[in-house]
């Protein structure tokens, strides 16, 4: 039986894998077995972190909106929760990303939107607006039900 040399196809497959891991350090870019392991691990991490990135950005937007609302208590009576609830009730198509950009770049516009919601609460009696349920009396917080 003659000897079969599979050099060219196997080499082609290995170099294709090596191109992916060429930026890795040490044996992770040189040895075939560790290259395949690191490639699988990289794909798993990328898949997991795509969802993680969405969660992180949502948290960032929420904290930005909350910070702008919190530093200007006299301009607006809202908490973050009540603002988002009332935007949803009024069917304003502003997601958290857009509201966060408005809050950071044009804080006055956010207060104008919130005040417009408050003023128009009489025109839509079927939807009930939520105001802040906490009232501060002489440094004591009481809840309104």
């Amino acid at each position: 039986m003659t000897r079969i040399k599979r050099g060219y196809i196997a080499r082609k497959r290995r170099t294709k894998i090596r191109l992916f891991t060429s930026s890795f350090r040490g044996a992770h870019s040189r040895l075939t077995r560790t290259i395949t392991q690191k490639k699988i691990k990289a794909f798993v991490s990328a898949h997991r972190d795509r969802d993680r990135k969405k969660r992180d950005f949502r948290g960032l937007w929420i904290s930005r909106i909350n910070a702008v609302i919190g530093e200007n208590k006299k301009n607006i009576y809202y908490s973050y929760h009540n603002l988002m609830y009332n935007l949803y009730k009024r069917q304003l198509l502003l997601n958290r990303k857009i509201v966060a950009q408005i809050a950071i770049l044009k804080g006055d516009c956010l207060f104008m939107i919130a005040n417009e919601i408050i003023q128009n609460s009489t025109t839509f009696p079927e939807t009930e607006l939520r105001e802040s349920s906490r009232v501060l009396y002489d440094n004591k917080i009481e809840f309104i039900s």
Side-chain angles (χ1 to χ4, degrees), residues 56-95:
D56 290 343
F57 271 109
R58 182 184 167 103
L60 176 69
W61 299 327
I62 289 171
S63 62
R64 282 181 176 175
I65 296 168
N66 217 1
V68 171
I69 290 174
E71 72 184 17
N72 295 310
K73 284 289 186 189
K74 58 186 157 221
N75 291 347
I76 188 169
Y77 72 88
Y78 278 111
S79 66
Y80 164 79
H81 168 73
N82 292 332
L83 175 67
M84 295 312 290
Y85 174 80
N86 291 333
L87 285 175
Y88 172 76
K89 273 301 210 188
R90 291 282 173 247
Q91 296 177 346
L92 295 174
L93 299 176
L94 295 174
N95 57 15

Side-chain angles (χ1 to χ4, degrees), residues 1-97:
M1 207 160 152
T2 58
R3 178 176 168 217
I4 298 171
K5 294 168 63 176
R6 322 179 28 224
Y8 130 79
I9 294 176
R11 194 179 321 115
K12 190 171 152 187
R13 177 176 50 85
R14 289 185 194 117
T15 53
K16 190 167 67 172
I17 295 171
R18 275 202 179 91
L19 286 174
F20 178 79
T21 59
S22 62
S23 62
F24 294 178
R25 293 181 61 184
H28 303 310
S29 66
R30 292 189 188 93
L31 303 178
T32 305
R33 192 174 293 172
T34 55
I35 283 174
T36 55
Q37 291 170 356
K38 291 301 165 183
K39 181 181 175 185
I40 291 169
K41 187 173 176 68
F43 282 145
V44 167
S45 298
H47 179 48
R48 180 193 62 228
D49 292 338
R50 273 195 292 275
D51 290 334
R52 182 76 205 175
K53 184 171 74 169
K54 293 175 181 68
R55 273 180 268 163
D56 290 343
F57 271 109
R58 182 184 167 103
L60 176 69
W61 299 327
I62 289 171
S63 62
R64 282 181 176 175
I65 296 168
N66 217 1
V68 171
I69 290 174
E71 72 184 17
N72 295 310
K73 284 289 186 189
K74 58 186 157 221
N75 291 347
I76 188 169
Y77 72 88
Y78 278 111
S79 66
Y80 164 79
H81 168 73
N82 292 332
L83 175 67
M84 295 312 290
Y85 174 80
N86 291 333
L87 285 175
Y88 172 76
K89 273 301 210 188
R90 291 282 173 247
Q91 296 177 346
L92 295 174
L93 299 176
L94 295 174
N95 57 15
R96 286 168 181 83
K97 179 181 178 181

Side-chain angles (χ1 to χ4, degrees), residues 88-144:
Y88 172 76
K89 273 301 210 188
R90 291 282 173 247
Q91 296 177 346
L92 295 174
L93 299 176
L94 295 174
N95 57 15
R96 286 168 181 83
K97 179 181 178 181
I98 301 299
V99 174
Q101 288 177 348
I102 291 171
I104 294 296
L105 299 175
K106 305 277 185 184
D108 297 336
C109 291
L110 179 68
F111 300 133
M112 287 170 49
I113 291 169
N115 291 334
E116 193 70 29
I117 291 172
I118 296 166
Q119 290 171 358
N120 289 339
S121 63
T122 57
T123 58
F124 298 106
E126 67 275 359
T127 59
E128 174 187 329
L129 287 180
R130 284 188 192 170
E131 294 185 16
S132 183
S133 61
R134 293 184 298 173
V135 179
L136 185 65
Y137 293 113
D138 298 325
N139 296 331
K140 283 196 306 187
I141 296 176
E142 294 183 13
F143 290 94
I144 301 172

